[in-house]
Amino acid sequence: MEPVVAPVKPETPAGIDNLGRNGDGFGGGDRLGGGGGGPDSRGWAGSVRVYRTGMWMALAAIVMLFAAFTSALVVRKGLSNDWVATALPRVLWLNTAVLIASSVTFEFSRRSLAGDPSFSARRFSRWLYVTLALGLAFIAGQLIAWRELASRGVYLATNPSSSFFYLLTGAHGLHLLGGIVALFYVALRARQLALAPAKRVVVDVTAIYWHFMDALWIYILLLLTVRS
Amino acid sequence: MHAEGAHQHQPPQRFIWKYIFSLDHKVIGKQYYFLALFSVVVGMALSWLIRIHLVWPNASIPGLDKLSAAGAPGGVMTPEYYLSLLTLHGTIMIFFVLTTAPQSGFGNYFLPIQIGAEDMAFPRLNMLSFWTTFVALVVLLATFFVTDGPPISGWTSYPPLSAVGSAAGPGEGLGQTLWVVSIAIFCVGSLLGALNFIVTTLDLRTRGMTLMRLPLTCWAWFVTAVLGLLSFAVLFGACVLLVLDRVGGTSFFIPAGLVVSDKVINHAGGSPLLWQHLFWFFGHPEVYIAILPGMGVTSHILSCFSRKPIFGYRAMAYSLMAIGFLSFTVWGHHMFLSGMSPYTAFSFSVFTMAIGVPSAIKTFNWLGTLWGGRLRFTTAMLFSIGFVSLFVTGGLSGLFLAQPAVDTSLHATYFVVAHFHMVMGVAAIFGMFAGTYFWFPKMFGRMMNETWGKVHFWITFVGVYCIFMPMHFIGIEGAIRRYSTSTVNYLIPMIPVHKFMTLWALITGAGQFIFLINVFWSMFKGEKASVNPWEGTSLEWTVPSPPPWDNFAGQHPVVYHGPYEYAVPGAAKDYVMQDSPEKVVAT
């Protein structure tokens, strides 16, 4: 039987039919990418992609958390006759508009990076600060909504529907606060003029998170109005 | 000095960044491993207390009254304290042993190396995951030292018992709250870890390392991480709801009309079943999280020591994915007696049996790997073969439990206890032992003692069968789990069986000290290990033992072959390393 071994020089590796160049669409291709790079880059395959993939995975987990809360709401509502719908404070609609606006302004900010060969810190930062302000305004608005409910005597344990109101808005608000911390971080890096092209992924993943929080809020609002 | 990443310009020098808050996946892997080792010793000690009490309920156990004066006055365990110890036994073993060592221990250490990466995708997140898990363990162990002791509701923590507070019994006050908080913290640590594993596997594979060239250990860690990402989030949600019921006055889980210990419970409208659904939606994937890494390790080791490629590599990878997917469809089989519609029960039953198919495929493929191989009976090989044996034994009893009609009799009996101990408490542990004996040389640069390893194997293998086989029979005869004594008529004849099991539990437990001594002695005095003592093919066997801080000393390995190229016709040796440019039949 003829041997199938032929020793070859390392620079012409044999059996290269499947080095995974196009095979699976994930890492493990031949993207040996960028040079040594600074402290944040690994200088080799997948260096920036990890943040994007990581963010999508984090969102998957957050979806599961709110799925659990949703199924708890559906079950609890269908279970006994004690469900009395909580009238939503009107400020919630203003908060919704504020949050949607913040997503829009964030996009203005993010896209100002895109076609700009020499990064303009001012334009980027201006819209970023607006986004940050709107985000904080949303949180403030949510607290106002909570206080309005409390002034009506509607607290966490008053009724199952109010329990879910506080639970869902509280969980969303906490996650949004995390997003605000991320916005602060991005603003800080922008001020330090440390948002060179290789670093822009932090803006992109923060945007993914922020827009997701926006969409999640709309989902929660629908859940509370339609199912509650 | 501020440590940015493990693979920066140079490794950290100061002790605190090098060993405590290390960002190096290898250090973190060892930290998880030793956390699990500590936890398993605690969990095993608790199991001795359980087994001793079952046989000698009125005995005074020396020192127990120091741990809890109320729970064990004069050293004699009360039935409630029995439940507390049982709760902590289950919680510690499932969360801090089975969910940490196989995945976060070995996975953290070897996933990056096996895919040719310098480290995990997010080293800082990795470090945070470990310390979060550590904090969770401290909070859990704190329940031993609070006034009323640990909770009595089992690792499953069903409301209303777990939701109504201290009226429900000792340990249901602060102890239960701390338990829920501990588990919630653990969820966070697990979620961060799962995220890291997934991103690392998807994005950091080196050149030539396609998905179909990944060692099956990497496939197992990947699927496990996906399960963890999706299921721990649900458990976290459930824990939030339970905490709110306990301290916030809500009624997610507490129904109306409860009077507990003469105290009227002012909650209404909730559903204990809601907790069961949420918990088991997590709980079933969780047990696959416990076993899948062991399956990966078994495939890896059986192939190496049979000097044969794994039989049906693709089928093995697809089976892992199938098991992972199906694990989300079967949670109701823990709830067959909760009053569900028979049609729902039928659905859960069919999916549960369906999981048997990919599991059987894997089992037959392990046997196919061994068949005709030039077997090398190292200790790691023995434990891997033992894994197959225990997985079959434990898995078969699962098929019985998957029938709602049969489960009507077997639910909450010792038959269930036998089943899950066989698969989790033994098979998964065998996976960890196999992994330890196999990878110890790489992790510590020294060999473990093979002779004592084999003694450890035989004592353990015989011992676990002696402990857990009889449980099936007393379960069928009606022995109920979580009962602290056998005083009821029909249980009295089972006491001799309990004595037999307790005897073997103590013998087997004692045998584990052989392992512990072997591990710690060999770490310092073992024979120095070479780069590839087992003649394995995957990338961890191309780096020094132990590996340098950035694994590949600045090189980026290039992969040309699949992970199990043993006995390749015409090759120079009976194995071809994954990064060898030697040309063989294309893989």
Side-chain angles (χ1 to χ4, degrees), chain B residues 141-166:
Chain B
L141 294 177
T143 61
F144 274 119
F145 304 107
V146 300
T147 321
D148 242 2
I152 57 174
S153 49
W155 87 283
T156 49
S157 183
Y158 280 11
L161 177 63
S162 62
V164 295
S166 47

Side-chain angles (χ1 to χ4, degrees), chain B residues 97-108:
Chain B
V97 180
L98 295 171
T99 314
T100 52
Q103 177 78 353
S104 312
F106 291 123
N108 251 314

Side-chain angles (χ1 to χ4, degrees), chain A residues 2-3 16 46 69 74 83 107 118 145 151-152 161-162 168 177 183 191 205 210 212 214 217 219 221-222 228:
Chain A
E2 73 176 55
I16 58 170
F69 287 153
V74 170
W83 187 280
E107 277 305 293
S118 72
S151 73
R152 278 198 254 144
S161 84
S162 72
L168 289 165
L177 273 173
L183 282 178
R191 263 181 75 92
V205 298
W210 193 264
F212 175 79
D214 196 346
W217 171 248
Y219 167 76
L221 208 57
L222 284 173
S228 194

Side-chain angles (χ1 to χ4, degrees), chain B residues 25-112:
Chain B
H25 69 99
K26 298 186 289 297
V27 175
I28 296 171
K30 283 193 208 169
Q31 288 175 322
Y32 268 110
Y33 182 83
F34 287 112
L35 180 143
L37 200 59
F38 170 79
S39 301
V40 81
V41 171
V42 175
M44 192 169 64
L46 289 170
S47 79
W48 293 337
L49 291 173
I50 290 169
R51 286 254 39 108
I52 288 172
H53 179 81
L54 283 170
V55 169
W56 298 296
N58 302 313
S60 168
I61 298 173
L64 201 57
D65 51 342
K66 298 286 189 314
L67 191 56
S68 172
V76 180
M77 205 190 291
T78 60
E80 291 84 359
Y81 201 57
Y82 174 84
L83 289 177
S84 290
L85 296 179
L86 178 160
T87 300
L88 267 279
H89 167 77
T91 310
I92 289 174
M93 289 302 210
I94 293 176
F95 287 106
F96 294 96
V97 180
L98 295 171
T99 314
T100 52
Q103 177 78 353
S104 312
F106 291 123
N108 251 314
Y109 200 107
F110 288 101
L111 175 66

Side-chain angles (χ1 to χ4, degrees), chain B residues 483-565:
Chain B
Y483 273 19
S484 70
T485 49
S486 303
T487 47
V488 179
N489 260 335
Y490 74 98
L491 292 175
I492 295 175
M494 299 180 197
I495 293 178
V497 181
H498 277 291
K499 288 194 167 146
F500 177 82
M501 297 192 292
T502 296
L503 173 70
W504 275 100
L506 295 173
I507 294 174
T508 315
Q512 304 317 301
F513 284 100
I514 298 176
F515 170 74
L516 286 174
I517 295 171
N518 198 350
V519 166
F520 286 103
W521 186 89
S522 304
M523 266 166 63
F524 302 103
K525 298 285 202 257
E527 184 197 320
K528 288 245 185 219
S530 62
V531 169
N532 195 356
W534 309 124
E535 298 188 302
T537 54
S538 39
L539 290 180
E540 76 264 34
W541 304 113
T542 65
V543 295
S545 307
W549 68 277
D550 67 345
N551 299 338
F552 294 96
Q555 307 299 312
H556 296 136
V558 181
V559 166
Y560 303 101
H561 304 290
Y564 301 116
E565 294 300 317

